[in-house]
Amino acid sequence: GQCVRLRQGRMNEATVYGEDPAAMARHWVTQGARRLHLVDLDGAFAGRPKNLAAIEAILEELADDEIPIQLGGGIRDLDTIERYLDMGIDYVIIGTAAVKNPGLVQDACTAFPGHVLVGLDAKGGKVATDGWSKVTGHDVIDLARKFEGYGVEAIVYTDIGRDGMLTGVNIEATVALAQALTQCPVIASGGIASLADVEALCQVAHEGILGAITGRAIYEGTLDYAQAQARADALCGQAAKGVGV
């Protein structure tokens, strides 16, 4: 029910940045956000939705805004996907379930074309699951190619070694993943700390990088959101999808 950020996905290292998620969502939209990135962190660990009230409050607050909202965390079946889309979520992000049950991604893309993203969270090139508590033997590029074939809208790629650490985005790994895909774009996540990181991503956006997600940096003030979006527009053009929150 709160706005928090974690360090490397550890729930015992959560920092609370706000008690009112709907008000926080309004703040970032006012700052110029082009897309809102939501994660049900409790749901990610529980394997089922746990923050429905907060999500509904955000959707109600932004009902009159034309801003896409994407949501991940605890999405394990088609019924949950349908429920979220019916609520007004634009894109669902399948993470752990995509790795453990790839057929779910294929079925979701068939049932809800244009609304399915896959979140691949990796450490050392290997995908992690269950709120990042388990590192698998799956290669991130191999899995991304499989999901591209299923028709996902984008891959949300997070370097979990950098997430919430403000150490800078892993440009090399992000570009390598984007280059390995032929049609499916990549959304960069994890480690964005400053305007320099946004500028670095813009320099390689042509490789297939759709946008970027930032959390801790904008809450702690190492990145000015409005300035970052303006810089992304200048470097990438008005077609830039923008920096997600």
Side-chain angles (χ1 to χ4, degrees):
Q2 301 171 316
C3 295
V4 307
R5 289 295 297 161
L6 309 183
R7 285 178 176 271
Q8 298 180 324
R10 292 191 288 264
M11 287 291 273
N12 63 348
E13 293 194 39
T15 302
V16 177
Y17 291 107
E19 301 286 344
D20 187 340
M24 190 66 76
R26 168 58 60 197
H27 169 73
W28 295 121
V29 171
T30 301
Q31 290 291 306
R34 305 280 179 79
R35 184 182 295 200
L36 198 66
H37 175 79
L38 306 180
V39 180
D40 180 349
L41 289 172
D42 299 297
F45 285 88
R48 64 186 186 280
K50 299 287 285 185
N51 278 283
L52 283 171
I55 294 165
E56 288 174 342
I58 290 171
L59 289 167
E60 183 177 353
E61 173 66 32
L62 302 180
D64 295 330
D65 297 83
E66 295 183 1
I67 179 170
I69 299 176
Q70 61 191 47
L71 169 69
I75 298 174
R76 303 286 195 268
D77 54 55
L78 292 177
D79 288 342
T80 299
I81 294 172
E82 184 173 25
R83 181 178 186 180
Y84 279 140
L85 294 178
D86 286 345
M87 286 170 59
I89 294 296
D90 297 280
Y91 304 100
V92 294
I93 306 168
I94 306 175
T96 292
V99 181
K100 294 185 173 182
N101 180 19
L104 172 63
V105 178
Q106 190 170 27
D107 291 343
C109 288
T110 299
F112 312 107
H115 296 282
V116 180
L117 311 180
V118 163
L120 293 179
D121 310 320
K123 186 172 185 178
K126 300 299 181 182
V127 175
T129 63
D130 299 281
W132 302 351
S133 61
K134 300 176 183 177
V135 178
T136 71
H138 295 291
D139 182 82
V140 65
I141 289 179
D142 289 344
L143 276 181
R145 283 173 169 160
K146 174 187 289 187
F147 297 135
E148 178 181 44
Y150 292 164
V152 300
E153 280 295 290
I155 299 291
V156 179
Y157 172 68
T158 304
D159 182 332
I160 64 176
R162 303 195 184 205
D163 186 75
M165 302 302 289
L166 301 179
T167 53
V169 68
N170 190 335
I171 296 288
E172 182 179 354
T174 304
V175 169
L177 177 59
Q179 289 177 335
L181 304 175
T182 58
Q183 297 177 321
C184 181
V186 172
I187 298 175
S189 173
I192 293 175
S194 68
L195 190 61
D197 292 314
V198 175
E199 292 173 337
L201 283 169
C202 286
Q203 296 297 331
V204 295
H206 63 279
E207 299 287 359
I209 299 173
L210 177 69
I213 296 168
T214 177
R216 184 177 290 270
I218 53 175
Y219 285 116
E220 298 198 352
T222 66
L223 180 68
D224 180 285
Y225 184 85
Q227 182 185 27
Q229 185 62 72
R231 186 61 174 152
D233 288 342
L235 292 177
C236 300
Q238 289 301 317
K241 297 299 182 182
V243 185
V245 177

